[in-house]
Amino acid sequence: MTDNNTGNNLFSKKDTESAWAEVILPLAIPKTYTYTIPQHLQSKTHPGCRAEVVFGKNKKYAGIVKSVSGKKPEYETKEILNIIDDDPIIYPQQLKLWQWISEYYMCSEGEVMAAALPTHLKLSSEAIIVFNEDYGEDFSDLDNEEYLVAEALLIKKELRLPEVQQILDINHVYPLIKRLIEKKVCYVWEAFNEKYKQKKENYIILNPEFNNEEKLNELLNNWSKAPKQLELLLSYLHLLKTEGEVIQTALLKKSGASAAQLKGLAEKNILFIEKRNVDRVENLPQKISIDFELSAAQKKALDEINSVFSEKNVCLLHGVTSSGKTQLYIKQIEEYINRGKQVLYLLPEITLTAQIIRRLQKNFGGNVTIYHSKFNNNERVELWNKIKNGEVKIILGARSALFLPFKDIGLIIVDEEHDSSYKQQDPAPRYNARDAAIFYASLFNAKVLLGSATPCLESYYNVEKNKYGLVELNERFGGIQLPEIEIINTRQVAASKKGKVILSPQLKEAIEDAVTNDKQVILFQNRRGYSPFLICATCGFIPHCNNCDVTLTLHKFSNKLHCHYCGSSYPKLTTCPACGTVNWMEKNFGTEKIEEELENEFPSYKVARMDIDSVRGKTAHDSLIKLFEQHRIDILAGTQMVVKGLDFENVSLVGVLDADGLLSFADFRVNERAFQLMEQVSGRAGRKTEQGKVMIQAAKINHPVLLFVQQHDFKRFYDFEIENRKRFFYPPFSRVIKIILKHKMKEVVSEAADRLGDALKKDMNDFVIGPAAPVVNRIRSLYLMEILIKLPKDANMLRQYKKVIANHFNLLHAEKKFRSVVLIADVDPM
């Protein structure tokens, strides 16, 4: 592979030498392909540019040039049709990151490219029907419709689909085109369309002649007709004075005038209308204004971070909840942007960005921008270009922000580094943004600051092995004590209580006390919906999803049964389809039912719910957080959204309503996740003025994880859990690869899993576990089987066995029977 400089040197010679480009195509194909660079494109072809190429017979793609070489490959190459960009749209470091993710996470570079580039940089193609000159002009073998299209093609040489539809006056033309292709009358070609469009606004400008105050007064004083135009002009002058520049939409809104009246002023040469390109993303003034002082503990921690960075590139900041980690991040950001570097601030979910962006913009103004999935495609392209040009210094975003084209990054902050949301699940690339960020930073010789109150076990293990540095903040900012934690035994709640306890008497009393004292309450339950499943009390029938092997959840808002795996919804059942009775029981409870219970128990309190169902749209989450910050909500019930990193100064009580549910998953990380969730949600209580209180409802009150949470003792939890991981050879003592097989027929996927499992065991000895069906063994009408591979932590062995796995995938797919089985390798699953 060559870098930009090598590519440029190659074309500094006379353009008579042959040259080839390795091109990444946005497809899930196992390798890149090499194309000949025509002489007229050699000076424009550089790594990082988009190239228009043909793959297969006629299919056109916009790929990314990975490298340029003067060495001809062993196979015949097609020519690059066009180089789309004058300058590369990504830097060499991004290409290296793509390659590393592809190799480590066992996916193609094309899949990484598809995930990395904004949609509007992945050009859309439009099908064009092209006449085949070799067919000739004898259309006697064609039917009437085929004849009409062939005749039009003979005259125009090419047609687009809408034109074919217009000729025949029908919409469904694909079967006819297919017949024409089969008869070799035509073939399909594709043309690229640039989807990104620059936003334009009409700016209104006063004729310079009236910049003279005397001339302007004369105009206004002698105005005799068109009073609406006069009103429009006066509104313009007011906006000009207050805003500096006047946009047409703002002017028409303020004046209540029409576009025709504005056009009348333009025709009189009083106002001019000028169309300008504008940014879709709001630009704030660039400033740096740090308005807080660090505590003695924070200053010590900041000095220690700098000391770690003088020796290591990765530092883990382990700070208890509300210890002021964000203020340390801000101080670090200030240092790096003063050096002229860019900073990437990663958060696990966009739901966390609302509060953080306000803090960062307060301190850094327009130096900060946010990047996440709720931006539209045009906004993403504009941000992409600003970051690539170095105009934006601080980027705040979720895991996809890692793919942005940073020019000169100096620091990556990974906040809440333990969070499983950093791991992409579907589709490929199934990368962990935290681990990829560490590799990416190494390409710039940049530093990585990992922050968490409950670090990932792997990260803490890397500290113990002296791979990462460690800085600890063991006290809350302002000297506030960590919250007192009370565990409530739900088995002792009155026997008359049917089903699971939602609010124990102790928790109800604590909620009453908190709100009476003008404090706020957060209640956490990791299930959304109203009732996670219904059961017929007569025969035991439970409604299941038709597409997935899971029970359906009742949602009160929609009054339907929903599948949380495939998204399907079904009408609520009134009678049991098995026995015909109407004796339904609702089992367990979700956030909707909690909200209802709270409204019944506390009708005078303001109750709100925060989950994926209640928070939709670009600003809905931020709006709800602002309402809670402004104390317009007394009790907030929610899922993990209320756990992660939110800072509310008036919350005195937090309730964990079903700790048993957190501790009952069949997964080697179950204890780690339960500890992290409970400790994180506990950290929302008593952050500013006084010690808060946390009440955890559980039936299994002797579970060791509950003891560690009650004592806020991460170190003892780590020692307990790391010993279990070592005993059973789980990460961080091994590398895990989960093989997932999917197929619509259960027998086929079971046989394929057995075949693959046997083959892998021959090559990997005792490292292979399974195959076995997962807990949910059918999703979206596909049956699942899993194979777990636990390998020693040896980089060479890992690379070797990944090749073995890929080879066995190919061998399995070579058999006709298993060709349609979906095979997925999930490296380091979360």
Side-chain angles (χ1 to χ4, degrees):
M1 185 171 76
T2 58
D3 60 18
N4 276 326
N5 294 329
T6 308
N8 289 334
N9 290 338
L10 177 67
F11 298 131
S12 64
K13 303 172 185 178
K14 292 181 180 179
D15 287 342
T16 55
E17 297 184 7
S18 297
W20 290 266
E22 184 184 1
V23 177
I24 303 169
L25 299 172
L27 302 169
I29 50 178
K31 54 180 280 187
T32 56
Y33 283 82
T34 300
Y35 288 81
T36 304
I37 307 172
Q39 288 187 7
H40 71 282
L41 293 178
Q42 288 187 0
S43 61
K44 291 182 64 178
T45 306
H46 306 295
C49 287
R50 289 175 297 174
E52 188 179 339
V53 297
V54 175
F55 183 69
K57 287 187 177 180
N58 297 315
K59 194 75 174 173
K60 289 170 72 177
Y61 292 96
I64 291 281
V65 177
K66 181 179 179 182
S67 64
V68 174
S69 169
K71 183 181 178 182
K72 186 181 186 304
E74 295 177 356
Y75 53 87
E76 286 300 314
T77 57
K78 296 177 182 178
E79 280 196 347
I80 289 176
L81 302 178
N82 189 27
I83 294 296
I84 298 165
D85 307 298
D86 293 330
D87 299 303
I89 63 168
I90 59 174
Y91 292 112
Q93 290 90 341
Q94 275 84 49
L95 288 170
K96 290 175 182 175
L97 175 66
W98 292 8
Q99 182 174 344
W100 180 83
I101 288 177
S102 167
E103 292 172 354
Y104 187 82
Y105 292 103
M106 296 184 68
C107 62
S108 69
E109 287 182 80
E111 288 172 304
V112 183
M113 172 189 168
L117 290 185
T119 300
H120 279 9
L121 289 180
K122 295 177 283 192
L123 300 184
S124 66
S125 56
E126 179 185 24
I128 298 173
I129 317 303
V130 181
F131 182 64
N132 181 10
E133 297 289 353
D134 294 336
Y135 185 83
E137 299 180 16
D138 181 5
F139 301 150
S140 57
D141 291 338
L142 307 181
D143 64 28
N144 288 339
E145 288 183 339
E146 293 168 354
Y147 179 88
L148 288 172
V149 176
E151 190 176 43
L153 279 170
L154 179 65
I155 297 166
K156 293 190 68 175
K157 303 306 179 190
E158 59 182 49
L159 294 171
R160 285 168 170 76
L161 286 179
E163 293 175 303
V164 178
Q165 291 168 333
Q166 192 173 4
I167 290 167
L168 301 176
D169 196 24
I170 58 173
N171 289 326
H172 305 294
V173 296
Y174 292 103
L176 179 137
I177 291 170
K178 184 172 180 286
R179 295 199 304 271
L180 288 172
I181 292 169
E182 288 170 350
K183 293 178 180 180
K184 296 187 169 37
V185 176
C186 62
Y187 57 89
V188 177
W189 191 245
E190 292 191 345
F192 280 137
N193 296 319
E194 185 75 63
K195 289 182 282 189
Y196 169 70
K197 302 292 182 187
Q198 178 72 53
K199 184 180 179 181
K200 297 181 182 293
E201 285 275 13
N202 286 336
Y203 279 76
I204 312 304
I205 301 164
L206 183 66
N207 187 330
E209 179 185 341
F210 300 111
N211 286 338
N212 181 305
E213 193 172 331
E214 187 178 324
K215 287 269 189 183
L216 183 59
N217 286 334
E218 183 183 340
L219 173 68
L220 296 174
N221 292 332
N222 294 323
W223 200 283
S224 58
K225 295 180 180 180
K228 275 287 185 185
Q229 288 185 3
L230 176 60
E231 191 178 333
L232 181 61
L233 179 58
L234 291 172
S235 296
Y236 168 80
L237 294 171
H238 181 263
L239 280 174
L240 184 67
K241 189 173 182 180
T242 55
E243 303 292 333
E245 290 186 313
V246 180
I247 299 172
Q248 178 176 317
T249 50
L251 175 58
L252 295 180
K253 184 178 179 181
K254 179 175 176 59
S255 63
S258 66
Q261 289 158 345
L262 176 59
K263 186 180 178 185
L265 286 175
E267 288 171 350
K268 292 176 181 177
N269 286 330
I270 297 172
L271 295 178
F272 298 147
I273 302 174
E274 183 181 290
K275 196 172 284 290
R276 298 181 194 169
N277 292 335
V278 296
D279 289 337
R280 288 179 171 85
V281 182
E282 180 185 7
N283 288 319
L284 299 174
Q286 294 193 347
K287 64 170 186 176
I288 299 178
S289 175
I290 310 299
D291 60 351
F292 59 82
E293 290 292 327
L294 298 179
S295 67
Q298 286 175 316
K299 287 177 182 174
K300 180 174 179 288
L302 184 63
D303 290 340
E304 289 175 355
I305 291 170
N306 291 329
S307 176
V308 167
F309 280 159
S310 67
E311 299 176 5
K312 292 181 170 66
N313 285 334
V314 183
C315 176
L316 174 63
L317 174 60
H318 178 203
V320 297
T321 55
S322 194
S323 57
K325 293 186 292 293
T326 304
Q327 291 175 318
L328 293 181
Y329 299 155
I330 288 170
K331 285 290 187 181
Q332 283 290 307
I333 291 168
E334 179 187 23
E335 181 177 336
Y336 279 89
I337 65 171
N338 281 337
R339 295 185 201 171
K341 301 285 188 179
Q342 290 174 301
V343 176
L344 172 59
Y345 190 135
L346 285 177
L347 288 161
E349 293 184 20
I350 60 170
T351 54
L352 292 178
T353 58
Q355 283 191 322
I356 297 293
I357 192 67
R358 290 199 291 273
R359 288 191 191 181
L360 293 185
Q361 285 179 340
K362 180 182 177 184
N363 291 286
F364 300 108
N367 288 303
V368 183
T369 194
I370 185 170
Y371 185 89
H372 58 58
S373 59
K374 290 196 176 180
F375 274 177
N376 67 45
N377 292 322
N378 284 315
E379 289 172 335
R380 290 194 205 186
V381 173
E382 290 184 7
L383 282 173
W384 180 278
N385 290 330
K386 285 175 180 286
I387 292 163
K388 177 177 171 288
N389 296 333
E391 295 175 41
V392 176
K393 294 299 182 187
I394 307 163
I395 297 88
L396 177 70
R399 62 175 180 259
S400 61
L402 186 70
F403 292 119
L404 291 167
F406 293 95
K407 190 173 185 178
D408 187 13
I409 198 165
L411 174 69
I412 299 178
I413 295 167
V414 186
D415 198 10
E416 309 295 347
E417 63 88 31
H418 64 276
D419 200 291
S420 60
S421 296
Y422 280 121
K423 177 75 158 92
Q424 166 79 9
Q425 301 297 339
D426 273 310
R430 294 172 180 83
Y431 68 102
N432 188 312
R434 177 197 62 218
D435 300 337
I438 292 170
F439 173 80
Y440 190 33
S442 71
L443 301 176
F444 292 89
N445 196 28
K447 306 299 181 184
V448 179
L449 182 58
L450 309 175
S452 177
T454 54
C456 169
L457 261 67
E458 284 92 328
S459 296
Y460 207 83
Y461 181 79
N462 283 331
V463 166
E464 290 199 331
K465 294 299 176 184
N466 205 31
K467 188 175 179 182
Y468 300 167
L470 174 67
V471 173
E472 294 182 302
L473 260 178
N474 294 320
E475 64 180 56
R476 283 186 150 189
F477 188 80
I480 306 296
Q481 293 293 306
L482 286 167
E484 173 196 350
I485 296 182
E486 178 184 344
I487 296 175
I488 300 168
N489 188 343
T490 54
R491 286 181 177 171
Q492 294 177 353
V493 176
S496 59
K497 194 81 175 172
K498 293 181 180 179
K500 275 209 169 190
V501 176
I502 298 178
L503 301 174
S504 61
Q506 301 97 310
L507 183 55
K508 287 180 188 176
E509 184 181 345
I511 292 171
E512 184 83 50
D513 289 345
V515 180
T516 301
N517 290 317
D518 204 30
K519 296 294 182 181
Q520 291 170 288
V521 178
I522 288 177
L523 299 178
F524 167 59
Q525 165 68 339
N526 210 27
R527 293 176 186 267
R528 60 189 175 97
Y530 187 78
S531 180
F533 69 93
L534 301 178
I535 183 169
C536 175
T538 304
C539 70
F541 173 82
I542 300 173
H544 278 69
C545 177
N546 294 335
N547 307 314
C548 310
D549 189 24
V550 290
T551 57
L552 294 169
T553 299
L554 174 64
H555 282 241
K556 188 180 179 185
F557 177 76
S558 64
N559 200 32
K560 289 184 178 180
L561 298 169
H562 291 256
C563 174
H564 289 175
Y565 281 80
C566 70
S568 299
S569 61
Y570 303 82
K572 182 181 176 182
L573 294 175
T574 52
T575 59
C576 175
C579 68
T581 64
V582 293
N583 193 13
W584 291 105
M585 292 193 303
E586 295 170 359
K587 291 290 185 180
N588 218 320
F589 57 91
T591 48
E592 274 190 337
K593 195 164 188 175
I594 296 165
E595 183 181 29
E596 180 185 84
E597 179 92 351
L598 289 167
E599 288 170 346
N600 291 335
E601 289 286 341
F602 309 105
S604 61
Y605 295 169
K606 290 163 284 190
V607 176
R609 171 168 55 93
M610 184 188 289
D611 57 29
I612 197 170
D613 301 310
S614 65
V615 180
R616 296 187 183 275
K618 199 170 183 177
T619 60
H621 183 266
D622 193 21
S623 300
L624 184 56
I625 286 174
K626 284 179 179 175
L627 288 174
F628 197 70
E629 286 176 332
Q630 294 161 7
H631 205 160
R632 292 162 67 185
I633 296 169
D634 296 315
I635 308 170
L636 181 64
T639 57
Q640 290 189 41
M641 285 184 174
V642 301
V643 176
K644 301 178 178 181
L646 296 174
D647 185 8
F648 301 119
E649 61 182 42
N650 201 47
V651 173
S652 67
L653 174 67
V654 165
V656 179
L657 301 187
D658 183 20
D660 302 305
L662 300 175
L663 292 161
S664 59
F665 292 101
D667 186 274
F668 76 91
R669 294 188 192 275
V670 60
N671 287 342
E672 181 181 8
R673 286 196 185 129
F675 178 86
Q676 289 166 344
L677 280 169
M678 285 189 276
E679 185 65 21
Q680 289 285 341
V681 76
S682 300
R684 302 316 108 201
R687 295 174 69 88
K688 295 297 179 185
T689 55
E690 59 187 38
Q691 185 182 24
K693 185 167 186 177
V694 179
M695 305 184 87
I696 299 176
Q697 298 183 161
K700 300 173 183 176
I701 60 170
N702 294 320
H703 198 290
V705 171
L706 291 178
L707 177 65
F708 301 135
V709 171
Q710 190 172 30
Q711 296 174 348
H712 301 288
D713 198 335
F714 170 80
K715 193 65 175 68
R716 278 186 64 203
F717 165 74
Y718 171 82
D719 292 339
F720 165 80
E721 189 65 15
I722 208 75
E723 189 58 39
N724 288 331
R725 298 279 184 91
K726 185 177 182 179
R727 181 181 170 193
F728 294 105
F729 194 52
Y730 275 112
F733 301 98
S734 64
R735 290 285 190 200
V736 170
I737 301 175
K738 184 195 288 184
I739 308 297
I740 304 164
L741 301 92
K742 300 181 182 181
H743 196 269
K744 61 184 178 181
M745 294 177 65
K746 189 174 184 178
E747 304 76 24
V748 172
V749 76
S750 296
E751 187 179 345
D754 288 339
R755 185 79 60 86
L756 182 60
D758 290 342
L760 290 171
K761 285 172 184 174
K762 286 178 183 177
D763 288 328
M764 299 190 187
N765 303 318
D766 299 326
F767 299 146
V768 180
I769 303 171
V775 175
V776 179
N777 66 2
R778 185 170 62 100
I779 298 175
R780 294 184 175 90
S781 300
L782 295 176
Y783 289 93
L784 278 65
M785 292 292 287
E786 292 179 350
I787 300 170
L788 203 66
I789 303 173
K790 294 194 287 187
L791 296 170
K793 289 185 69 175
D794 179 286
N796 291 329
M797 182 181 286
L798 193 61
R799 276 193 294 270
Q800 175 191 338
Y801 281 133
K802 282 177 183 175
K803 291 177 181 176
V804 169
I805 293 167
N807 184 51
H808 283 301
F809 278 13
N810 293 334
L811 290 172
L812 190 69
H813 273 157
E815 294 188 49
K816 187 176 180 181
K817 185 176 182 179
F818 303 127
R819 204 163 290 162
S820 56
V821 175
V822 177
L823 299 173
I824 294 169
D826 188 3
V827 181
D828 299 341
M830 291 291 284

